[in-house]
Amino acid sequence: VVNGSELTATDHIRFENYGDKANSVNGNTLYVANGATVTVPYCNLAWTNNQIVVSNATLTCTAKTDKEALFLGGVVDPAIYPTNCALVVEGSTPKISVPNGGTSYLRYGSHLVFRIPKEGYAEGYVPMELGSFSYYNDSFIDVEGLEAMLQDLKDRGVTARQKFTLITTMVAALPT
């Protein structure tokens, strides 16, 4: 879904096939980029090596507070079915939104990956707005590009205090 296009679904986006490992859903990518918008009630990535990449675009999961809106990692024991699924948030204006308070999960070896450009996020931009966020200790939050961004700030003469303020703002925007 690219270049300003929109996809709205009335049900799930699901990369899963519970109970049938031989025919499981593996190695798929949903790519949302360049001003595109995907709006769904629920988004579920399970099984192995599935990913959603949001690159300067918007993914909105509209589930209500008592529902799972964004679910990375499935529900099966990772020792038996490791997932290694990823939600990749990249560019200067990516947006992951769960506006109605639905719960987001990161578990079973899944990755939440921030690929920050050296210029950082657009001014005042917050890449994720979530309701409840549950992070399991078997999963990962990866931040790529931070070193290049700090070098770019140094090259432009940004002071250490300004860098500290920028980094604290970015960390505050991460899910807790």
Side-chain angles (χ1 to χ4, degrees):
V1 184
V2 297
N3 299 329
S5 60
E6 295 182 16
L7 170 67
T8 301
T10 57
D11 203 351
H12 298 68
I13 288 181
R14 299 175 85 149
F15 292 162
E16 63 184 15
N17 188 12
Y18 292 114
D20 186 1
K21 186 175 185 198
N23 295 305
S24 60
V25 180
N26 298 318
N28 297 289
T29 299
L30 171 61
Y31 187 66
V32 186
N34 302 326
T37 301
V38 171
T39 304
V40 296
Y42 315 100
C43 189
N44 189 340
L45 274 80
W47 293 107
T48 305
N49 298 321
N50 292 309
Q51 66 178 342
I52 296 176
V53 177
V54 178
S55 179
N56 293 325
T58 301
L59 170 65
T60 302
C61 299
T62 60
K64 305 290 186 212
T65 54
D66 62 337
K67 302 291 183 185
E68 298 164 348
L70 183 59
F71 198 70
L72 305 172
V75 295
V76 182
D77 182 351
I80 300 169
Y81 303 110
T83 61
N84 198 36
C85 291
L87 173 59
V88 179
V89 182
E90 66 183 21
S92 59
T93 58
K95 176 67 81 180
I96 308 297
S97 177
V98 181
N100 298 324
T103 303
S104 301
Y105 292 92
L106 181 66
R107 64 186 199 173
Y108 295 163
S110 293
H111 295 256
L112 174 57
V113 180
F114 293 93
R115 292 186 182 146
I116 304 170
K118 73 176 187 173
E119 300 80 19
Y121 294 119
E123 187 173 339
Y125 209 82
V126 177
M128 296 188 82
E129 295 177 337
L130 305 176
S132 171
F133 181 79
S134 293
Y135 171 80
Y136 288 51
N137 66 358
D138 60 356
S139 293
F140 309 90
I141 296 178
D142 307 315
V143 180
E144 301 172 3
L146 192 56
E147 189 173 304
M149 184 184 76
L150 292 174
Q151 183 61 48
D152 181 62
L153 291 171
K154 180 180 177 185
D155 294 346
R156 291 190 285 135
V158 175
T159 68
R161 179 72 185 148
Q162 290 168 315
K163 284 186 216 174
F164 176 78
T165 302
L166 175 65
I167 291 170
T168 355
T169 304
M170 288 172 54
V171 168
L174 291 174
T176 56

